[in-house]
Amino acid sequence: MRSLSALSVLTIVILASAALAPAQLAVENCQDSRGVCAYQKPLGDLLQAAKDNNEQLRGDAIRALLEPEVVPDYFVLALSEESVFDNVVNAWERARVDKQVGTSANGTGTTDLVSRPSTPELLGVAVQLGALTQTVSGSTSTFNANAYGAYHAIVGHPAICLVCGDSAWKNLNFSASFDLSRQATKQVATSGVANATTPPLGMVQLPQSSRQLSSVTARYDIYNPLDPRSKEFKKAWSTAFQSHQKDLVNAAKDLDKALSDIFKPLIADKALGLLRDQYKSAIMKDAIANDVAQLKKDFENYFKDLSNLAYKDIPDLDQKLAAAAAAYARYSQMNYDAVQEARGKPQFTAEYTYNHPVSQPDTHDFKLIYGYTPKSTTGVLFTLNLTGSVYGGSIPTGAKYGRMRDFQFASQLDLPLGDVITHRTTFTVAGYVQYQFDPSVLNIGSGNLVPGTSITLPKDAQVLLGTKGTLGIMQAKVTVNTKAGVSIPVAVSWANKTDLLNATDVRGHIGITYDFNSIGQLFGH
Amino acid sequence: MACSLTDNGMQFSAAIGAKVTVKVIADNTKLVEAEYNDQSIPVVNNSATFTVVGGSNLLWLNLAGPQEDVEIVEDCGGGKTQHMFGYTDDAHPALGFTIIGA
């Protein structure tokens, strides 16, 4: 019941986040209104220009709407199959080593000693076996969602857009982990024995719906604020541009070739001019009258005629659109990387986790995550975590432990083996140090025996187990990345002790994670 | 100085042999590459200059930078410019203009 309610809360939070996302020009259905969907921005600009009586803005908007070569990304993306763009972007997304899909080090059923700075753009799912700081290994299933990606998936927009600008909602993520191996029983009083041969039996243990929720996490990526007008950004952008210029020029040449293959035959057809003339006055009239519905209708009709003309004039248009979409994705990725570089690194992530461990008090973890990619390397990621953990709920009177549970420091190096984009395997080494202020607290529920005796506890009790002090863990991990977004981490770790036992511990860990980057990928097409 | 391009409201035309300099005006956005009539043209200080040839030919301008306000102008010399196209708070990897040489 508790896990169900937690999942409901998580869903409500994600949907509420989505509802609060910035308002956009409403688009009903991108499958039926591909033109209006792709050309939302200039349609909005035209309405605004008509309202403000701004002649220059109106001229720019009309150019962007009726001359397809002026802003060709609108045209290409309107006619391209979504999967074409997705496939290229997904190759880049899969290559990233900075995503945290599973649960963090403190739970059971984890393969990750250190939390990475990023998360999936839409949804992530992980099933992991093992434990790092915990004495008892477990298996955990983690569901991860990005507020912006989830909202876009719900309304049918692409979850990943490299040129769509910045939304604060892109940086907000939620996850919930469920312990698959957790079992619970409930002690119930009997009504007496059913026959004379049965010895007296006052209480029985009944299996009950287990409290499977093991943790809930909210995280926010903190970037330096992007103010393109600031002196600092201008200076950083100049440096970043120079370091990426050569690659951008090469990608630009490929893009221009792909666009010329599409637009040269189209602009040579006089029918294009006639089509423009046919619709221009109607579209202008709709905008001046602020008749949004009619404007959408007229523009969609124009775009249908334009796409019919394009399919007539341009041989193998679908192949050429696919080539152009791929060239756009490559170029946009480079531009995105350069802009991110100019925004400044390091990238910080603030994370809050509510942990609900088995037979231990709940904890609240506050973590700061820092990710750094050295400039001299390609794809290598260095990550640092700093965490403080406090016990939740009320501390019993006379407790021999305080509110503060521990401090944690962890670092990790991820090294892609092979090409930065196409690598199949990532090698990871990580170290973790935790200082615990008191021995671990173990909850013993009523009805259980006092350890070492035959005395049944009349009410809930707590004991201290293990030792306070420093817990150190080293881990080596190999993650195999498949083309479909599935990753399989296999790891081995050594610890000087665990949370409950004061003895060295060597353990193996395995998991499987899935990073859904598009709603199409989610539904398998 | 007179500008070389004539804006007919939708497309641009110019006399064959006219030299045209186009310039990108923005806080950060850089002109990465420019091509006219399938030929790469040199980019200097966010500007590119080409000589108009006969017929309808495409001018491609490739831009890199953050989302911001960008204006494309013809640099007519003597501090005079002619607006060709612009957009606000956006980013586009490529812009194309049909130049009719006659």
Side-chain angles (χ1 to χ4, degrees), chain A residues 41 56 60 62-63 66-67 69-74 164-166 228-229 233-234 237-238 241 248-249 252-253 255-256 259-260 263-264 267 276 280 328 331-332 335 339, chain B residues 7 9-12 27-30 32-33 35 38 40 56-58 60 62-68 71 83-86 88-98:
Chain A
K41 174 82 165 58
Q56 183 168 294
D60 289 339
I62 280 288
R63 265 209 165 96
L66 299 183
E67 286 188 81
E69 73 276 22
V70 170
V71 190
D73 46 310
Y74 296 145
C164 290
D166 294 299
R229 284 171 222 161
F233 181 83
K234 285 179 185 175
W237 167 244
S238 284
F241 176 72
L248 279 164
V249 168
K253 286 180 192 290
L255 177 58
D256 291 348
L259 292 177
S260 290
F263 289 99
K264 275 169 77 175
I267 65 161
R276 244 177 349 227
K280 184 179 175 183
Y328 261 118
Y331 186 92
S332 299
N335 186 47
V339 171
Chain B
D7 184 356
M10 294 303 286
Q11 292 173 316
F12 294 94
D27 281 334
N28 299 284
T29 298
K30 305 279 188 190
V32 174
E33 165 77 359
E35 281 187 17
D38 294 333
S40 181
S56 292
N57 289 290
L58 280 163
W60 292 118
N62 299 106
L63 310 176
Q67 270 195 306
E68 61 179 350
E71 185 182 17
H83 177 83
M84 292 176 69
F85 182 67
T88 55
D89 193 24
D90 213 343
H92 294 291
L95 300 176
F97 299 92
T98 302

Coordinates of all heavy atoms in Angstrom, one line a residue, chain A residues 41 56 60 62-63 66-67 69-74 164-166 228-229 233-234 237-238 241 248-249 252-253 255-256 259-260 263-264 267 276 280 328 331-332 335 339, chain B residues 7 9-12 27-30 32-33 35 38 40 56-58 60 62-68 71 83-86 88-98:
Chain A
K41 N 7.0 28.6 -34.1 CA 7.6 29.8 -33.7 C 7.3 30.9 -34.7 O 6.9 32.0 -34.2 CB 9.1 29.5 -33.6 CG 10.0 30.7 -33.3 CD 10.0 31.1 -31.9 CE 11.2 32.1 -31.5 NZ 11.2 33.3 -32.2
Q56 N 9.0 44.9 -39.9 CA 10.2 44.0 -40.1 C 10.0 42.6 -39.6 O 10.3 41.6 -40.2 CB 11.4 44.7 -39.4 CG 12.7 43.9 -39.7 CD 13.9 44.7 -39.3 OE1 14.2 45.7 -39.9 NE2 14.6 44.2 -38.3
D60 N 10.0 39.1 -41.6 CA 10.8 37.9 -41.3 C 10.0 36.7 -41.1 O 10.4 35.6 -41.5 CB 11.6 38.2 -40.0 CG 12.7 39.3 -40.2 OD1 13.1 39.5 -41.3 OD2 13.1 39.9 -39.2
I62 N 7.0 36.0 -42.3 CA 6.4 35.5 -43.6 C 7.5 34.8 -44.4 O 7.3 33.8 -45.0 CB 5.9 36.7 -44.4 CG1 4.5 37.1 -43.8 CG2 5.8 36.5 -45.9 CD1 3.4 36.0 -44.2
R63 N 8.8 35.3 -44.4 CA 9.9 34.7 -45.1 C 10.1 33.3 -44.5 O 10.3 32.3 -45.2 CB 11.2 35.5 -44.9 CG 11.5 36.4 -46.0 CD 13.0 36.7 -46.2 NE 13.1 37.3 -47.4 CZ 13.2 38.6 -47.6 NH1 13.2 39.4 -46.6 NH2 13.3 39.1 -48.8
L66 N 7.0 31.0 -45.6 CA 6.7 30.8 -47.0 C 7.9 30.5 -47.9 O 7.7 30.1 -49.0 CB 5.8 31.9 -47.6 CG 4.5 32.2 -46.9 CD1 3.7 33.3 -47.6 CD2 3.6 30.9 -46.8
E67 N 9.1 30.8 -47.4 CA 10.3 30.4 -48.2 C 10.9 29.3 -47.4 O 11.7 29.6 -46.5 CB 11.2 31.6 -48.3 CG 10.7 32.7 -49.3 CD 11.7 33.8 -49.5 OE1 12.6 33.5 -50.3 OE2 11.6 34.8 -48.9
E69 N 13.5 27.5 -47.8 CA 14.9 27.4 -47.7 C 15.5 28.4 -46.6 O 16.6 28.3 -46.2 CB 15.6 27.7 -49.1 CG 15.6 29.1 -49.6 CD 14.3 29.5 -50.3 OE1 13.3 28.9 -50.0 OE2 14.3 30.5 -51.1
V70 N 14.7 29.4 -46.2 CA 15.2 30.4 -45.3 C 15.5 29.8 -44.0 O 16.6 30.0 -43.4 CB 14.2 31.6 -45.2 CG1 14.6 32.6 -44.1 CG2 14.2 32.4 -46.5
V71 N 14.6 29.1 -43.4 CA 14.9 28.4 -42.1 C 14.6 26.9 -42.4 O 13.5 26.4 -42.1 CB 14.0 28.9 -41.0 CG1 14.5 28.3 -39.6 CG2 14.1 30.4 -40.9
P72 N 15.6 26.2 -43.0 CA 15.2 24.9 -43.5 C 15.0 23.8 -42.4 O 14.4 22.8 -42.7 CB 16.5 24.5 -44.4 CG 17.6 25.4 -44.0 CD 16.9 26.7 -43.4
D73 N 15.5 24.1 -41.2 CA 15.2 23.1 -40.1 C 13.7 22.9 -39.9 O 13.3 21.7 -39.6 CB 16.0 23.4 -38.8 CG 15.9 24.8 -38.3 OD1 16.1 25.8 -39.1 OD2 15.6 25.0 -37.2
Y74 N 12.9 23.9 -40.1 CA 11.5 23.7 -39.9 C 11.0 22.7 -41.0 O 10.2 21.8 -40.7 CB 10.7 25.1 -40.1 CG 11.0 26.1 -39.1 CD1 11.0 27.5 -39.5 CD2 11.2 25.8 -37.8 CE1 11.3 28.5 -38.5 CE2 11.5 26.8 -36.8 CZ 11.5 28.2 -37.2 OH 11.7 29.2 -36.3
C164 N 16.2 23.5 -28.9 CA 14.9 24.1 -28.3 C 15.2 25.0 -27.2 O 14.3 25.5 -26.5 CB 14.0 23.0 -27.9 SG 13.3 22.1 -29.3
G165 N 16.4 25.3 -26.8 CA 16.8 26.2 -25.8 C 16.7 25.6 -24.4 O 16.6 24.4 -24.2
D166 N 16.6 26.5 -23.4 CA 16.7 26.0 -22.1 C 15.4 26.1 -21.3 O 14.7 27.1 -21.4 CB 17.8 26.9 -21.3 CG 19.1 26.6 -21.9 OD1 19.6 25.5 -21.8 OD2 19.7 27.6 -22.4
P228 N 23.5 35.2 -22.4 CA 24.3 35.5 -23.6 C 24.9 36.9 -23.7 O 25.8 37.1 -24.5 CB 23.4 35.2 -24.8 CG 22.2 34.4 -24.2 CD 22.1 34.8 -22.8
R229 N 24.2 37.8 -23.0 CA 24.7 39.2 -23.1 C 25.8 39.5 -22.1 O 26.4 40.6 -22.2 CB 23.6 40.2 -22.8 CG 22.6 40.2 -24.0 CD 21.4 41.0 -23.7 NE 20.2 40.3 -24.3 CZ 19.0 40.5 -23.9 NH1 18.7 41.4 -23.0 NH2 18.0 39.9 -24.5
F233 N 30.1 35.3 -20.5 CA 29.6 34.3 -21.5 C 30.3 34.6 -22.9 O 30.7 33.7 -23.5 CB 28.1 34.3 -21.6 CG 27.7 33.2 -22.6 CD1 27.5 31.9 -22.2 CD2 27.4 33.6 -24.0 CE1 27.2 30.9 -23.1 CE2 27.1 32.6 -24.9 CZ 26.9 31.3 -24.5
K234 N 30.3 35.9 -23.3 CA 30.8 36.2 -24.6 C 32.3 35.7 -24.7 O 32.7 35.2 -25.7 CB 30.8 37.7 -24.8 CG 29.4 38.2 -25.2 CD 29.3 39.7 -25.4 CE 27.9 40.1 -25.6 NZ 27.8 41.5 -25.7
W237 N 32.3 31.9 -24.7 CA 31.8 31.4 -26.0 C 32.9 31.5 -27.1 O 33.0 30.6 -27.9 CB 30.5 32.1 -26.4 CG 30.1 31.9 -27.8 CD1 30.0 32.8 -28.8 CD2 29.8 30.6 -28.4 NE1 29.6 32.2 -30.0 CE2 29.5 30.9 -29.8 CE3 29.7 29.3 -27.9 CZ2 29.1 29.9 -30.6 CZ3 29.3 28.3 -28.8 CH2 29.0 28.6 -30.1
S238 N 33.6 32.7 -27.1 CA 34.7 32.8 -28.1 C 35.7 31.7 -28.0 O 36.1 31.1 -29.0 CB 35.4 34.2 -27.9 OG 34.6 35.2 -28.4
F241 N 34.0 28.4 -29.1 CA 33.8 28.4 -30.5 C 35.1 28.0 -31.2 O 35.1 27.2 -32.2 CB 33.2 29.7 -31.0 CG 33.1 29.7 -32.5 CD1 32.1 29.0 -33.1 CD2 33.9 30.5 -33.3 CE1 32.0 29.0 -34.5 CE2 33.8 30.5 -34.7 CZ 32.8 29.8 -35.3
L248 N 32.9 22.2 -36.5 CA 31.7 22.8 -37.0 C 31.7 23.1 -38.5 O 30.7 22.9 -39.2 CB 31.4 24.1 -36.2 CG 30.8 24.0 -34.8 CD1 31.0 25.2 -34.0 CD2 29.3 23.6 -34.9
V249 N 32.8 23.6 -39.0 CA 32.9 23.9 -40.4 C 32.7 22.6 -41.2 O 31.9 22.6 -42.2 CB 34.3 24.5 -40.7 CG1 34.5 24.6 -42.3 CG2 34.4 26.0 -40.2
A252 N 29.1 21.7 -41.1 CA 28.4 22.7 -41.9 C 28.4 22.4 -43.3 O 27.4 22.5 -44.1 CB 28.9 24.1 -41.6
K253 N 29.5 22.0 -43.8 CA 29.7 21.6 -45.3 C 28.7 20.4 -45.6 O 28.1 20.4 -46.6 CB 31.1 21.3 -45.6 CG 32.1 22.5 -45.7 CD 33.5 22.1 -46.0 CE 34.5 23.2 -45.8 NZ 34.4 24.2 -46.8
L255 N 26.1 19.6 -43.9 CA 24.7 20.1 -43.8 C 24.3 20.8 -45.1 O 23.2 20.6 -45.6 CB 24.6 20.9 -42.6 CG 23.2 21.6 -42.3 CD1 22.1 20.5 -42.2 CD2 23.2 22.4 -41.0
D256 N 25.1 21.7 -45.6 CA 24.8 22.5 -46.8 C 24.6 21.6 -48.0 O 23.7 21.8 -48.8 CB 25.9 23.5 -47.1 CG 25.9 24.6 -46.0 OD1 25.0 24.7 -45.2 OD2 26.9 25.4 -46.0
L259 N 21.3 20.0 -47.6 CA 20.2 20.9 -47.8 C 20.1 21.3 -49.3 O 18.9 21.4 -49.9 CB 20.4 22.2 -47.0 CG 20.2 22.0 -45.5 CD1 20.6 23.3 -44.7 CD2 18.8 21.5 -45.1
S260 N 21.2 21.5 -50.0 CA 21.2 21.8 -51.4 C 20.5 20.7 -52.2 O 19.8 21.0 -53.2 CB 22.6 22.0 -51.9 OG 23.1 23.2 -51.4
F263 N 16.8 21.5 -51.7 CA 16.2 22.8 -52.0 C 16.5 23.3 -53.5 O 15.7 24.1 -54.0 CB 16.6 23.9 -51.0 CG 15.9 23.7 -49.7 CD1 16.5 23.1 -48.6 CD2 14.5 24.1 -49.5 CE1 15.8 22.8 -47.4 CE2 13.9 23.8 -48.4 CZ 14.5 23.2 -47.3
K264 N 17.6 22.8 -54.1 CA 17.9 23.3 -55.4 C 16.8 22.9 -56.4 O 16.3 23.8 -57.2 CB 19.2 22.8 -55.9 CG 20.4 23.6 -55.4 CD 21.7 23.0 -55.6 CE 22.2 23.1 -57.1 NZ 23.5 22.5 -57.2
I267 N 13.5 25.3 -55.5 CA 13.5 26.7 -55.8 C 13.5 26.9 -57.4 O 13.2 28.0 -57.8 CB 14.7 27.5 -55.2 CG1 16.0 27.0 -55.7 CG2 14.6 27.4 -53.7 CD1 17.1 28.1 -55.5
R276 N 3.4 30.3 -53.1 CA 3.6 31.4 -52.1 C 2.6 32.5 -52.3 O 2.0 33.0 -51.3 CB 5.0 31.9 -52.3 CG 5.9 31.7 -51.1 CD 7.3 32.1 -51.3 NE 7.8 32.5 -52.6 CZ 8.9 32.1 -53.1 NH1 9.7 31.3 -52.5 NH2 9.3 32.6 -54.3
K280 N 0.0 33.8 -49.5 CA 0.6 34.9 -48.7 C -0.5 35.8 -48.1 O -0.6 36.1 -46.9 CB 1.6 35.6 -49.5 CG 2.3 36.7 -48.7 CD 3.3 37.4 -49.6 CE 3.9 38.6 -48.8 NZ 4.9 39.4 -49.6
Y328 N 21.8 17.7 -39.6 CA 21.3 18.6 -38.6 C 21.7 18.1 -37.1 O 22.1 18.9 -36.3 CB 19.8 18.8 -38.6 CG 19.4 20.0 -39.4 CD1 18.6 19.9 -40.6 CD2 19.7 21.3 -39.0 CE1 18.3 21.0 -41.3 CE2 19.3 22.4 -39.7 CZ 18.6 22.3 -40.8 OH 18.2 23.4 -41.5
Y331 N 25.4 18.5 -36.5 CA 25.8 19.9 -36.3 C 25.3 20.5 -35.0 O 26.0 21.2 -34.3 CB 25.3 20.7 -37.5 CG 25.8 22.2 -37.5 CD1 26.9 22.5 -38.2 CD2 25.1 23.2 -36.9 CE1 27.4 23.8 -38.3 CE2 25.5 24.5 -36.9 CZ 26.7 24.8 -37.6 OH 27.1 26.1 -37.6
S332 N 24.0 20.2 -34.7 CA 23.4 20.7 -33.5 C 24.0 20.2 -32.3 O 24.1 20.9 -31.3 CB 21.9 20.3 -33.5 OG 21.2 20.9 -34.6
N335 N 27.2 22.2 -31.8 CA 26.8 23.5 -31.3 C 26.4 23.5 -29.8 O 26.8 24.3 -29.0 CB 25.7 24.1 -32.2 CG 25.4 25.6 -31.8 OD1 26.4 26.4 -31.6 ND2 24.2 25.9 -31.6
V339 N 28.2 25.4 -26.7 CA 27.5 26.3 -25.9 C 27.5 25.8 -24.4 O 27.7 26.6 -23.5 CB 26.0 26.4 -26.3 CG1 25.2 27.2 -25.3 CG2 25.9 27.1 -27.7
Chain B
D7 N 15.4 43.7 -52.5 CA 14.4 42.8 -51.8 C 13.1 42.9 -52.4 O 12.4 44.0 -52.3 CB 14.4 43.2 -50.3 CG 13.5 42.3 -49.4 OD1 12.9 41.4 -50.0 OD2 13.5 42.5 -48.2
G9 N 10.5 41.4 -51.4 CA 9.5 41.0 -50.4 C 9.6 39.6 -50.0 O 9.3 39.2 -48.9
M10 N 10.0 38.7 -50.9 CA 10.2 37.3 -50.6 C 11.6 36.9 -51.0 O 12.3 36.2 -50.2 CB 9.2 36.5 -51.4 CG 7.7 36.7 -51.0 SD 7.4 36.4 -49.2 CE 7.5 34.7 -49.2
Q11 N 12.1 37.2 -52.2 CA 13.4 36.8 -52.6 C 14.3 38.0 -52.8 O 13.8 39.1 -52.8 CB 13.4 35.9 -53.9 CG 12.7 34.6 -53.6 CD 12.5 33.8 -54.9 OE1 12.1 34.3 -55.9 NE2 12.8 32.5 -54.8
F12 N 15.6 37.8 -53.1 CA 16.5 38.9 -53.3 C 17.0 38.7 -54.8 O 17.3 37.6 -55.2 CB 17.7 38.8 -52.4 CG 17.3 39.1 -50.9 CD1 17.0 38.1 -50.1 CD2 17.1 40.4 -50.5 CE1 16.6 38.3 -48.8 CE2 16.7 40.7 -49.2 CZ 16.5 39.6 -48.3
D27 N 25.0 39.0 -30.5 CA 25.9 39.1 -29.4 C 27.0 38.1 -29.4 O 28.1 38.3 -29.1 CB 25.1 39.0 -28.0 CG 24.4 40.3 -27.6 OD1 24.9 41.3 -28.1 OD2 23.4 40.2 -26.9
N28 N 26.6 36.8 -29.8 CA 27.5 35.7 -29.7 C 27.5 34.9 -31.0 O 28.6 34.3 -31.3 CB 27.1 34.8 -28.6 CG 27.2 35.4 -27.2 OD1 28.3 35.7 -26.7 ND2 26.1 35.8 -26.7
T29 N 26.4 34.8 -31.7 CA 26.3 33.9 -32.8 C 27.4 34.1 -33.9 O 27.6 35.3 -34.3 CB 24.9 33.9 -33.4 OG1 24.0 33.6 -32.4 CG2 24.8 33.0 -34.6
K30 N 28.1 33.0 -34.3 CA 29.1 33.1 -35.2 C 28.7 32.6 -36.6 O 28.0 31.6 -36.6 CB 30.4 32.3 -34.8 CG 30.9 32.7 -33.4 CD 31.7 33.9 -33.4 CE 32.4 34.1 -32.0 NZ 33.1 35.4 -32.0
V32 N 29.8 30.4 -39.2 CA 30.7 29.3 -39.3 C 31.2 29.0 -40.7 O 32.4 28.9 -41.0 CB 30.1 28.0 -38.7 CG1 31.0 26.8 -38.9 CG2 29.7 28.2 -37.3
E33 N 30.2 29.0 -41.6 CA 30.5 28.7 -43.0 C 29.5 29.4 -43.9 O 28.4 29.5 -43.5 CB 30.4 27.1 -43.1 CG 30.4 26.5 -44.5 CD 31.7 26.5 -45.3 OE1 32.7 27.0 -44.7 OE2 31.8 26.1 -46.4
E35 N 28.2 29.4 -48.1 CA 28.3 28.8 -49.5 C 27.4 29.5 -50.4 O 26.2 29.8 -50.0 CB 27.9 27.3 -49.4 CG 29.0 26.4 -48.9 CD 28.7 25.0 -49.1 OE1 27.8 24.6 -49.9 OE2 29.4 24.2 -48.4
D38 N 27.0 26.6 -54.5 CA 27.7 25.4 -54.2 C 29.2 25.6 -54.0 O 30.0 24.6 -53.9 CB 27.6 24.3 -55.3 CG 26.2 23.8 -55.5 OD1 25.5 23.8 -54.4 OD2 25.8 23.4 -56.6
S40 N 32.2 27.3 -51.4 CA 32.4 27.9 -50.1 C 33.0 29.3 -50.3 O 33.8 29.5 -51.2 CB 33.4 27.0 -49.4 OG 33.7 27.5 -48.1
S56 N 18.8 31.6 -60.5 CA 18.5 31.5 -59.0 C 19.5 30.5 -58.4 O 19.6 29.4 -58.7 CB 17.1 30.9 -58.9 OG 16.1 31.8 -59.4
N57 N 20.2 31.1 -57.4 CA 21.2 30.3 -56.7 C 21.0 30.5 -55.2 O 20.6 31.5 -54.7 CB 22.6 30.7 -57.1 CG 22.9 30.3 -58.5 OD1 23.1 29.1 -58.8 ND2 23.0 31.3 -59.4
L58 N 21.4 29.4 -54.5 CA 21.3 29.4 -53.0 C 22.5 30.0 -52.3 O 23.6 29.6 -52.7 CB 21.0 28.0 -52.6 CG 19.6 27.5 -52.7 CD1 19.5 26.0 -52.6 CD2 18.6 28.2 -51.7
W60 N 23.9 29.8 -48.6 CA 23.7 29.1 -47.3 C 24.6 29.8 -46.2 O 25.8 30.0 -46.5 CB 24.1 27.6 -47.3 CG 23.2 26.8 -48.1 CD1 23.6 26.0 -49.2 CD2 21.8 26.5 -47.9 NE1 22.5 25.3 -49.7 CE2 21.4 25.6 -48.9 CE3 20.9 26.9 -46.9 CZ2 20.1 25.1 -49.0 CZ3 19.6 26.5 -47.0 CH2 19.2 25.6 -48.0
N62 N 25.8 29.2 -42.3 CA 25.7 28.3 -41.1 C 26.1 29.0 -39.9 O 27.2 29.7 -39.8 CB 26.7 27.1 -41.4 CG 26.3 26.3 -42.6 OD1 27.0 26.4 -43.6 ND2 25.2 25.6 -42.5
L63 N 25.3 29.0 -38.9 CA 25.5 29.7 -37.7 C 25.7 28.8 -36.5 O 25.1 27.7 -36.4 CB 24.3 30.6 -37.4 CG 23.8 31.5 -38.6 CD1 22.5 32.2 -38.2 CD2 24.9 32.5 -39.0
A64 N 26.5 29.3 -35.5 CA 26.7 28.6 -34.2 C 26.6 29.5 -33.1 O 27.1 30.7 -33.2 CB 28.0 27.9 -34.2
G65 N 25.9 29.1 -32.0 CA 25.8 30.0 -30.9 C 24.6 29.6 -30.0 O 23.9 28.7 -30.4
P66 N 24.4 30.4 -29.0 CA 23.2 30.1 -28.1 C 21.9 30.7 -28.7 O 22.0 31.4 -29.7 CB 23.6 30.8 -26.8 CG 24.4 32.0 -27.3 CD 25.2 31.5 -28.5
Q67 N 20.8 30.4 -28.0 CA 19.6 31.0 -28.4 C 19.7 32.5 -28.1 O 20.0 32.9 -27.0 CB 18.5 30.5 -27.5 CG 17.8 29.3 -28.1 CD 16.5 29.1 -27.4 OE1 16.4 29.0 -26.2 NE2 15.4 29.0 -28.1
E68 N 19.5 33.3 -29.1 CA 19.5 34.8 -28.9 C 18.9 35.5 -30.1 O 18.5 34.8 -31.1 CB 21.0 35.2 -28.6 CG 21.9 35.0 -29.8 CD 23.3 35.5 -29.5 OE1 23.5 36.2 -28.5 OE2 24.2 35.2 -30.3
E71 N 20.4 38.9 -36.5 CA 20.0 39.6 -37.7 C 21.0 39.4 -38.8 O 22.2 39.4 -38.6 CB 19.9 41.1 -37.4 CG 19.3 41.9 -38.6 CD 19.2 43.4 -38.4 OE1 19.9 43.9 -37.5 OE2 18.5 44.0 -39.2
H83 N 18.5 45.2 -44.1 CA 18.0 44.0 -43.3 C 17.6 42.9 -44.3 O 16.9 43.2 -45.3 CB 16.8 44.4 -42.5 CG 16.2 43.3 -41.8 ND1 16.6 42.8 -40.6 CD2 15.1 42.5 -42.1 CE1 15.8 41.8 -40.2 NE2 14.9 41.6 -41.1
M84 N 18.1 41.7 -44.1 CA 17.6 40.6 -44.9 C 16.7 39.6 -44.2 O 15.7 39.2 -44.7 CB 18.9 39.8 -45.4 CG 19.8 40.5 -46.4 SD 21.3 39.6 -46.8 CE 20.6 38.2 -47.8
F85 N 17.1 39.3 -42.9 CA 16.3 38.4 -42.2 C 16.7 38.5 -40.7 O 17.8 38.9 -40.4 CB 16.4 37.0 -42.7 CG 15.6 35.9 -42.0 CD1 14.2 35.9 -42.0 CD2 16.2 35.0 -41.2 CE1 13.4 35.0 -41.4 CE2 15.4 34.0 -40.5 CZ 14.0 34.0 -40.6
G86 N 15.8 38.1 -39.8 CA 16.2 38.1 -38.4 C 15.3 37.2 -37.6 O 14.2 36.9 -38.1
T88 N 14.3 36.2 -33.2 CA 14.6 36.5 -31.8 C 14.6 35.3 -30.9 O 13.8 34.3 -31.1 CB 13.4 37.5 -31.3 OG1 12.2 36.8 -31.5 CG2 13.5 38.8 -32.0
D89 N 15.5 35.3 -29.9 CA 15.6 34.2 -28.9 C 15.5 32.8 -29.5 O 14.6 32.0 -29.1 CB 14.5 34.4 -27.9 CG 14.7 33.6 -26.6 OD1 15.9 33.2 -26.4 OD2 13.8 33.3 -25.9
D90 N 16.3 32.6 -30.5 CA 16.3 31.3 -31.2 C 17.7 30.9 -31.7 O 18.6 31.7 -31.6 CB 15.3 31.4 -32.4 CG 14.6 30.1 -32.6 OD1 15.0 29.0 -32.1 OD2 13.5 30.1 -33.3
A91 N 17.8 29.7 -32.2 CA 19.1 29.3 -32.8 C 18.8 28.5 -34.0 O 17.9 27.6 -33.9 CB 19.9 28.5 -31.8
H92 N 19.4 28.7 -35.1 CA 19.2 27.9 -36.4 C 20.6 27.6 -37.0 O 21.4 28.5 -37.2 CB 18.4 28.7 -37.4 CG 17.0 28.9 -36.9 ND1 16.0 27.9 -36.8 CD2 16.3 30.1 -36.5 CE1 14.9 28.4 -36.4 NE2 15.0 29.7 -36.2
P93 N 20.8 26.3 -37.2 CA 22.1 25.9 -37.8 C 22.4 26.4 -39.2 O 23.5 26.6 -39.6 CB 22.1 24.4 -37.8 CG 21.0 24.0 -36.8 CD 20.0 25.2 -36.9
A94 N 21.3 26.6 -40.0 CA 21.5 27.0 -41.4 C 20.4 28.0 -41.8 O 19.2 27.8 -41.4 CB 21.6 25.8 -42.3
L95 N 20.7 29.0 -42.5 CA 19.7 29.9 -43.2 C 20.0 29.9 -44.7 O 21.2 29.9 -45.1 CB 19.8 31.3 -42.6 CG 19.6 31.5 -41.1 CD1 19.8 32.9 -40.7 CD2 18.2 31.0 -40.7
G96 N 19.0 29.9 -45.5 CA 19.2 29.9 -46.9 C 18.5 31.0 -47.6 O 17.4 31.4 -47.2
F97 N 19.1 31.6 -48.6 CA 18.5 32.7 -49.3 C 18.7 32.4 -50.8 O 19.7 32.1 -51.3 CB 19.2 34.0 -49.0 CG 19.1 34.4 -47.5 CD1 20.1 34.0 -46.6 CD2 18.0 35.1 -47.1 CE1 20.0 34.3 -45.3 CE2 17.9 35.4 -45.7 CZ 18.9 35.0 -44.8
T98 N 17.6 32.6 -51.5 CA 17.6 32.5 -53.0 C 18.0 33.8 -53.6 O 17.3 34.8 -53.3 CB 16.3 32.0 -53.6 OG1 15.9 30.8 -52.9 CG2 16.3 31.8 -55.0

